[in-house]
Amino acid sequence: MKHLHRPIWAPLLLTIFFIVSLVSPTKHEPADPVNRNSRASSRKLSKPDDKTNHWGRRQTNDNRSQGILELQDALVVLHSIDTPRNRLVRIDKSSGFLGTTAYYVKEIFVLLFMNAPKQEDYLSPQSEEPMLSKPLSKAVRLLESAARQNNSDALFLLAEMNFYGNYTHPRNYREAFRRYHELSSWSGNSTAQYMVGLMYATGIGGAVERDQAKALMYHTFAASNGNTKSEMTVAFRHHSGIGTTRNCNEAATYYKKVADKAMSYSRSGPPGGLALQRDSYRLADEEGGVYGEGASVVSSGVFANKAAPNSDQNAAFDDVLEYLDLLSRKGDLKATFSLGRLHYDGSRTMKRNLRTARAYFLIVARKYWDRTGAVVGDDNDGIAKIASKAASYLGRMFLRGEGTEQSFEKALTWFKRGLPNGDSACQHEIGLMYLNGYGIRKDPVIAANYFKAAAEQDWSPAQVQLGKLFLDQGDLQTAMRYFELAVRHGHIEAFYHLAEISNNGVGRERSCGLATAYYKVVAEKVEAIHSSFEEANRAYENGDIDTALVGYMMAAEQGYEHGQANVAYILDEHKSILPLDGFLPWKRQTSSLLHNAFLALLYWTRSAKQTNIDSMVKMGDYYLGGFGIESDMEKAATCYQSAAEMQQSAQAMWNLGWMHENGIGVEQDFHLAKRFYDQALETNTESYLPVKLSLVKLRMRSAWNTLTNGKIKSIQADPEPKTPLSWSEWLAKFLQDDHPYYHLADADDDSHHHHTEPLIHDPMPGGDDYYDDIEDNIIESVVILSLAAALAFLVWYRQQRQQNNRRAAAVQQQLVQGAVEGGVVEPAGPPQQQQGLPGQQADGGFFPAPGDPEYAQWAAGGIGH
């Protein structure tokens, strides 16, 4: 019967072999806290001397030497400790059929065979002291002994091991806080002060009760010692009013300190500055948003992916690379150039590969130029433009020494090849070489001409350089205009110069708020000097959620909206309306660190204040459901209303419709509920089904409310849209329709008589009398208009006659003066009456003067009236 067991064990052995092949054999080296960047404030070991320790006891040279020796022995033991090797490699389920299969096989294997029952949670402050391995226990004893000798490095190393879990040491946040607090109080270590402030701000692991005032105090101490992370944190707290009142000047001061460091880092390195790597992104965006694909703002409405299912916009990054490589092999130069750009710029999922990028750029360039620079290709398919862009990248790589040796001569050669085709990048780079004298003589005038040509093509680096040149010449308005143009493309130097101008009030009134906003952007763009996103992202991808949460918390406290959203997303336990964690026994257990609804609400709130609409909606959900805080329907409605006002969240509009329908937090109003449901559908067409179902239910409730004469406002008919009428249409409508005002007055009179007099039978209701009234009204209107027109004509006629008389008198006076000057004198005697118009008086008027025999008749009612 043994042969019956072979078909059963054979597949199982194959499965185990497949799973073992997924296990990574590489050794994971723990981070050495002593050599970390955070050790900037740790004291350098020097020659021992006598001093008094923080307990008031005299520390001798022997004690210091003993502490140094114990620290060195402990480091030797720690570096010999191997971390667990059987960590499963990260497999992306979207990397093809095999990758998807391997991903789900790994997940099933972990859930079935590697998901042990919940054990003691060492993150809890009530946990008993865990058992340590012998090497680790020996290293800890040596470090504790060195710490008692006032060795700050040993004390710092113990704190880091307890906080981060380095060298397989179990995490103990309470012990870490005690060590950090001891080190900060004794030596003033800025990193220890920063960590104490972080733990007071978050209360992580229950190590200490949250106290925002103490958090600000310790961060201020660390910032005064030059700790960049604390400078960012203090700036954000003054900017947002966390633990203190809002103070724009303090925020601008601290943000400026970080921005100055950021610019110094950005400008260092090769010509053109360092390439800034961005590691901050929202975890929820990878899943389609907080509410999933199609329901979140980032994946719905105007942000929805409109591409077809077979489009490359829905493909994975590896698939895009494979597709571009296929086109490149077929001779598509655009695809070849795109591959070069992807390898040159890099991404979060692919590191930069400068040598590969250079090879792709050379393939494109050789299709248009030969070795001497002569053009060998035609421009039928726009090859010249693509080749010029490739030349700009090749010249930039030679200028900066990226992937090849630095050569200003070769860089200039490639830039000149791209000039005839008007490539803006080549124009800017040549201008940069003339401005700084890279391989050629300095000439700011020639540089400015090249910068202007590139800036006219909206090339932001050239706009910044032109702005700096105009700023040096004192032309502030022109400089600001170029900086503002470059800001549209997110150029860091443009933000920095505008921040300096706004903060110092140069050429304009000082704007603290604008300066703070610009400084914050500059500080957050240079993540390398203070950000923990890279470590947090790596930990999250490896499944170490606790470590990832700590890293995102640090970024969140520094004011990064992406960090705040990530912390809230990780702590959010209400991602689904039907959670299955409590019903499925094979669901993975999580530590107590990840169960903190109040902290999730706190970071949802901070993220929402930085214009994250989905976070604002999440705030409403927490207030509505009472998660981490007492339920407050009015605050929930306020959150939804604020999110809906942005006209981007269909979820917020639907929630408002539901609240108005049920009278939760707002007045119950069926008509207003329908309006919000309709707006939700207009904002996001993917909400068609839930909106239509809600409208069906709402109309049924509204109809019942109308039938029963309920007090709730039912759904009203929408008013018909009014179209504008032309003059002819309005006049025809006016003559054809009944006059509303007269008809309304007659109706009021009729209603009065209906109650006071008996009805008299009228054989023709609204007959001859009705039409006679209309004709009389029209005739009266025509007569009044005619009289007004006649009066206006008479006034105009009189004015014209008076003007003609004045002109005639002026001409006669000129003739008389000319005759006198010529010696002609008329004989004395009564002046002859000038020939004029019939009825005209001697003075030129038409009305008789007082004393004239006809004056009495005129006054009694003549032509004047």
Side-chain angles (χ1 to χ4, degrees):
M1 298 296 293
K2 291 183 180 181
H3 64 279
L4 297 178
H5 295 280
R6 292 177 182 175
I8 300 176
W9 286 104
L12 181 60
L13 291 175
L14 290 176
T15 304
I16 295 176
F17 176 78
F18 179 72
I19 296 298
V20 171
S21 65
L22 299 178
V23 177
S24 173
T26 58
K27 179 179 177 181
H28 175 69
E29 291 293 340
D32 188 356
V34 177
N35 296 325
R36 292 180 52 182
N37 294 334
S38 59
R39 189 185 172 269
S41 58
S42 298
R43 294 181 295 116
K44 183 179 179 180
L45 299 180
S46 58
K47 183 178 180 179
D49 56 354
D50 292 343
K51 63 178 292 186
T52 303
N53 61 20
H54 60 292
W55 288 285
R57 297 193 299 266
R58 188 76 174 175
Q59 184 180 18
T60 62
N61 294 337
D62 294 338
N63 291 338
R64 288 178 55 83
S65 301
Q66 182 65 25
I68 294 174
L69 293 176
E70 291 174 341
L71 172 64
Q72 294 175 350
D73 293 340
L75 289 175
V76 172
V77 175
L78 289 175
H79 285 299
S80 65
I81 298 176
D82 292 336
T83 55
R85 295 188 178 188
N86 55 342
R87 295 179 59 89
L88 295 179
V89 296
R90 180 176 181 267
I91 301 177
D92 189 2
K93 63 181 179 182
S94 61
S95 59
F97 176 77
L98 294 178
T100 303
T101 304
Y103 173 83
Y104 283 112
V105 168
K106 186 201 72 172
E107 289 294 316
I108 294 174
F109 179 81
V110 171
L111 291 175
L112 294 178
F113 301 103
M114 301 183 65
N115 192 27
K118 186 176 181 180
Q119 300 177 356
E120 185 69 20
D121 185 6
Y122 298 118
L123 300 178
S124 175
Q126 291 81 17
S127 302
E128 297 179 359
E129 184 176 356
M131 296 295 295
L132 304 179
S133 62
K134 290 184 178 180
L136 182 60
S137 179
K138 178 182 177 181
V140 170
R141 288 196 303 269
L142 290 172
L143 291 175
E144 289 177 346
S145 177
R148 286 192 292 269
Q149 306 298 328
N150 297 342
N151 189 294
S152 60
D153 293 328
L155 192 59
F156 181 78
L157 184 54
L158 284 172
E160 294 279 280
M161 290 169 62
N162 282 278
F163 188 87
Y164 291 102
N166 296 331
Y167 302 108
T168 70
H169 192 285
R171 293 183 180 179
N172 189 328
Y173 292 110
R174 185 179 292 276
E175 179 65 16
F177 176 80
R178 187 178 72 85
R179 296 292 186 180
Y180 282 131
H181 189 273
E182 181 181 355
L183 181 60
S184 64
S185 302
W186 168 44
S187 64
N189 185 295
S190 65
T191 304
Q193 292 169 341
Y194 164 76
M195 295 301 297
V196 172
L198 174 69
M199 300 183 79
Y200 268 123
T202 60
I204 183 171
V208 65
E209 185 178 356
R210 281 187 295 270
D211 192 327
Q212 303 299 338
K214 289 184 178 179
L216 179 60
M217 179 184 68
Y218 277 98
H219 279 305
T220 305
F221 288 156
S224 63
N225 291 328
N227 188 286
T228 308
K229 293 183 177 181
S230 285
E231 288 174 345
M232 282 280 289
T233 305
V234 173
F236 178 71
R237 285 177 168 264
H238 283 294
H239 180 58
S240 302
I242 301 175
T244 182
T245 58
R246 298 186 64 178
N247 191 326
C248 183
N249 291 324
E250 288 291 326
T253 299
Y254 283 103
Y255 270 131
K256 176 177 168 51
K257 292 181 179 180
V258 185
D260 291 340
K261 295 179 182 179
M263 290 308 303
S264 297
Y265 176 84
S266 175
R267 291 168 176 169
S268 62
L274 293 174
L276 301 179
Q277 180 181 357
R278 182 183 178 186
D279 295 310
S280 63
Y281 70 97
R282 299 189 188 97
L283 299 176
D285 292 353
E286 301 295 307
E287 306 295 333
V290 173
Y291 292 97
E293 189 75 30
S296 306
V297 173
V298 296
S299 60
S300 64
V302 296
F303 303 103
N305 190 354
K306 302 297 184 181
N310 297 327
S311 172
D312 57 355
Q313 295 187 28
N314 293 322
F317 185 76
D318 293 340
D319 296 335
V320 173
L321 286 179
E322 184 178 354
Y323 178 70
L324 290 175
D325 183 66
L326 177 62
L327 294 180
S328 176
R329 293 176 185 273
K330 293 182 178 181
D332 191 332
L333 293 183
K334 292 183 179 179
T336 306
F337 176 74
S338 299
L339 284 172
R341 285 192 58 182
L342 288 174
H343 284 90
Y344 180 84
D345 297 331
S347 66
R348 187 171 54 86
T349 58
M350 184 182 71
K351 293 183 179 181
R352 299 181 70 190
N353 191 330
L354 299 177
R355 292 186 179 274
T356 303
R358 178 171 172 266
Y360 281 119
F361 291 142
L362 283 173
I363 293 175
V364 176
R366 288 168 180 168
K367 292 292 184 180
Y368 189 72
W369 295 291
D370 60 10
R371 292 183 176 274
T372 62
V375 177
V376 295
D378 53 11
D379 194 21
N380 295 331
D381 298 328
I383 298 178
K385 185 176 181 180
I386 301 175
S388 298
K389 291 183 178 297
S392 68
Y393 275 95
L394 289 170
R396 178 180 173 85
M397 296 178 76
F398 279 111
L399 178 65
R400 297 166 57 87
E402 295 175 328
T404 183
E405 75 283 355
Q406 189 177 36
S407 174
F408 294 149
E409 181 181 357
K410 294 181 179 180
L412 185 60
T413 299
W414 282 111
F415 291 146
K416 286 184 176 181
R417 289 184 181 182
L419 282 182
N421 297 315
D423 185 76
S424 57
C426 291
Q427 293 168 346
H428 165 259
E429 298 295 344
I430 290 184
L432 199 65
M433 296 183 72
Y434 273 107
L435 182 64
N436 298 281
Y438 295 141
I440 53 179
R441 62 180 178 84
K442 284 187 178 182
D443 195 328
V445 176
I446 298 179
N449 292 332
Y450 281 112
F451 290 147
K452 183 179 180 181
E456 290 176 351
Q457 301 185 58
D458 204 21
W459 187 251
S460 60
Q463 292 168 344
V464 171
Q465 295 298 333
L466 268 181
K468 292 166 64 175
L469 290 175
F470 280 109
L471 190 63
D472 292 339
Q473 297 297 322
D475 191 348
L476 182 64
Q477 298 302 322
T478 305
M480 288 181 57
R481 181 167 62 86
Y482 280 110
F483 289 145
E484 289 170 354
L485 290 173
V487 158
R488 296 180 295 112
H489 302 281
H491 199 284
I492 182 174
E493 278 205 71
F495 278 108
Y496 180 74
H497 286 294
L498 288 177
E500 291 284 88
I501 292 172
S502 300
N503 188 43
N504 297 308
V506 180
R508 59 164 65 176
E509 185 178 356
R510 181 178 184 269
S511 176
C512 180
L514 194 60
T516 302
Y518 285 146
Y519 281 136
K520 185 175 186 293
V521 172
V522 174
E524 291 183 353
K525 278 184 174 293
V526 186
E527 300 175 0
I529 62 175
H530 53 69
S531 170
S532 56
F533 274 110
E534 184 179 2
E535 295 83 0
N537 294 340
R538 188 184 306 113
Y540 187 83
E541 292 172 357
N542 293 332
D544 190 356
I545 308 301
D546 293 344
T547 301
L549 179 63
V550 172
Y552 291 135
M553 275 186 179
M554 292 179 175
E557 288 297 311
Q558 294 169 13
Y560 280 96
E561 189 276 323
H562 288 177
Q564 295 164 353
N566 289 347
V567 173
Y569 182 73
I570 290 175
L571 296 178
D572 183 26
E573 301 181 66
H574 308 282
K575 297 182 176 68
S576 174
I577 194 173
L578 295 174
L580 301 178
D581 294 2
F583 302 97
L584 300 179
W586 58 81
K587 292 294 291 183
R588 297 184 183 181
Q589 303 294 337
T590 56
S591 66
S592 60
L593 186 65
L594 305 180
H595 302 283
N596 196 328
F598 177 81
L599 203 60
L601 176 59
L602 177 67
Y603 285 109
W604 283 131
T605 304
R606 294 182 183 178
S607 174
K609 288 183 177 180
Q610 300 196 63
T611 66
N612 188 318
I613 302 177
D614 282 335
S615 296
M616 179 69 71
V617 180
K618 264 296 182 180
M619 281 180 60
D621 295 345
Y622 272 61
Y623 281 115
L624 183 65
F627 305 138
I629 198 172
E630 186 178 355
S631 180
D632 193 327
M633 304 303 174
E634 294 183 359
K635 287 186 177 180
T638 302
C639 293
Y640 294 144
Q641 183 66 44
S642 300
E645 289 175 354
M646 303 298 293
Q647 301 296 322
Q648 294 180 2
S649 176
Q651 182 71 46
M653 296 174 184
W654 191 93
N655 291 350
L656 277 177
W658 179 83
M659 298 186 77
H660 279 286
E661 178 184 354
N662 296 281
I664 298 177
V666 293
E667 183 181 359
Q668 194 171 12
D669 190 328
F670 291 154
H671 183 72
L672 197 57
K674 178 183 179 300
R675 190 179 73 175
F676 280 114
Y677 285 145
D678 291 339
Q679 288 181 353
L681 183 58
E682 293 175 1
T683 303
N684 183 10
T685 56
E686 295 186 21
S687 63
Y688 179 85
L689 181 61
V691 168
K692 289 301 181 181
L693 292 176
S694 301
L695 286 175
V696 170
K697 183 187 67 169
L698 179 64
R699 288 187 180 277
M700 295 174 61
R701 296 185 63 180
S702 177
W704 177 256
N705 177 72
T706 303
L707 292 175
T708 58
N709 295 325
K711 299 181 179 179
I712 307 172
K713 183 179 179 181
S714 299
I715 299 176
Q716 307 294 326
D718 295 333
E720 296 181 359
K722 296 182 179 180
T723 57
L725 301 177
S726 62
W727 166 250
S728 59
E729 293 175 343
W730 179 87
L731 182 59
K733 189 175 185 301
F734 177 81
L735 295 176
Q736 293 176 3
D737 296 346
D738 299 341
H739 198 287
Y741 302 105
Y742 293 126
H743 180 69
L744 207 57
D746 295 340
D748 294 339
D749 294 339
D750 292 341
S751 63
H752 174 71
H753 291 299
H754 286 325
H755 293 284
T756 57
E757 298 179 2
L759 293 175
I760 301 176
H761 177 69
D762 187 358
M764 187 175 180
D768 297 338
D769 295 339
Y770 176 79
Y771 291 107
D772 291 341
D773 292 340
I774 294 179
E775 292 176 358
D776 293 342
N777 293 335
I778 294 176
I779 293 174
E780 290 177 1
S781 300
V782 172
V783 170
I784 293 173
L785 291 174
S786 301
L787 292 176
L791 181 61
F793 175 79
L794 291 175
V795 172
W796 173 80
Y797 183 77
R798 177 185 176 184
Q799 291 177 350
Q800 293 296 322
R801 297 296 296 272
Q802 288 179 351
Q803 290 178 1
N804 292 334
N805 293 334
R806 292 193 189 97
R807 294 193 193 101
V811 171
Q812 184 178 3
Q813 185 177 1
Q814 292 177 359
L815 293 175
V816 172
Q817 290 179 355
V820 172
E821 293 176 356
V824 179
V825 181
E826 296 182 356
Q832 297 181 357
Q833 185 174 0
Q834 298 178 1
Q835 184 178 2
L837 297 174
Q840 186 175 7
Q841 303 298 326
D843 59 355
F846 285 89
F847 302 116
D852 192 284
E854 297 180 358
Y855 178 77
Q857 296 180 1
W858 175 81
I863 50 179
H865 293 268

